Amino acid sequence: MFHKTERLLLRPAWIEDAPAIAAAIGEEAIVRNLARAPWPYGLAHAEDFARRPQDPRLPHFLLHLPGHGVIGSAGLGEADGEAEIGYWIARKFWGRGFATEASRAVVSLAPMLGHTRLVAGHFIDNPASGKVLRKIGFRPTGRQACRFSAGRGEAAALVEYELPLVAERPVGEFKRAA
């Protein structure tokens, strides 16, 4: 699956992307805010990511910026049986709205994939991610959890968010005008 935003091409990862992925994510400041990526993050980890099969209901994308190449990733995964949005951006592209732009695109695809609700979270010491989530419509649930971060090598406090999605009515549910 491919998706285009104003500035980005969201596309699947290919094995040839592994060096660019490793270079873009390869800072502890990025990886420590992710649940699944280990630190240190090397080429073998990027190759594993690029080879990961795509679940059609839970796509994950590389973010390609023309003229710069791979600048991050965004997509859906599963957390406790629910669709969860996740993203990361290479440090030199922080603060330019790319996480918001890419995440908004992922959210726009979710209803077409059959999702009626998305969940998300950010580690308590990463408030910038919470700002992105709120910009794209997520609301805090008022709950915190403890979640393992492979990048930190330990569990850390996580603020939980949710986003109910308005699903379109099935064709049979439309009423005729009298």
Side-chain angles (χ1 to χ4, degrees):
M1 178 183 295
F2 293 79
H3 193 67
K4 183 144 178 34
T5 68
E6 182 180 330
R7 300 178 291 172
L8 300 168
L9 172 64
L10 282 66
R11 65 169 178 80
W14 301 307
I15 193 64
E16 297 84 3
D17 294 315
I21 295 168
I25 195 175
E27 285 188 49
E28 187 177 10
I30 297 168
V31 176
R32 70 177 279 104
N33 291 316
L34 305 175
R36 296 180 183 101
W39 182 254
Y41 191 95
L43 184 59
H45 299 108
E47 289 170 345
D48 289 343
F49 176 79
R51 285 188 184 110
R52 186 184 318 158
Q54 287 275 3
D55 179 332
R57 289 203 47 189
L58 301 169
H60 54 272
F61 303 94
L62 286 185
L63 310 180
H64 184 271
L65 179 63
H68 296 278
V70 174
I71 66 160
S73 179
L76 298 175
E78 190 172 334
D80 299 325
E82 296 194 84
E84 177 183 51
I85 193 168
Y87 47 84
W88 61 265
I89 303 293
R91 183 191 278 278
K92 78 183 222 177
F93 295 97
W94 286 4
R96 298 188 196 175
F98 291 117
T100 302
E101 184 175 331
S103 297
R104 191 172 279 134
V106 171
V107 167
S108 75
L109 295 172
M112 293 182 279
L113 300 172
H115 301 292
T116 58
R117 179 176 184 263
L118 296 178
V119 298
H122 70 82
F123 290 112
I124 205 162
D125 60 354
N126 182 19
S129 191
K131 186 176 180 182
V132 168
L133 292 170
R134 288 186 300 279
K135 279 183 184 178
I136 62 172
F138 278 81
R139 62 180 184 233
T141 64
R143 294 185 307 268
Q144 288 188 10
C146 202
R147 186 163 184 185
F148 183 77
S149 164
R152 296 168 190 243
E154 63 186 11
L158 181 89
V159 180
E160 295 181 339
Y161 289 76
E162 66 182 353
L163 177 63
L165 302 171
V166 179
E168 292 187 30
R169 287 192 226 168
V171 174
E173 288 187 21
F174 287 101
K175 294 183 179 181
R176 292 183 175 238

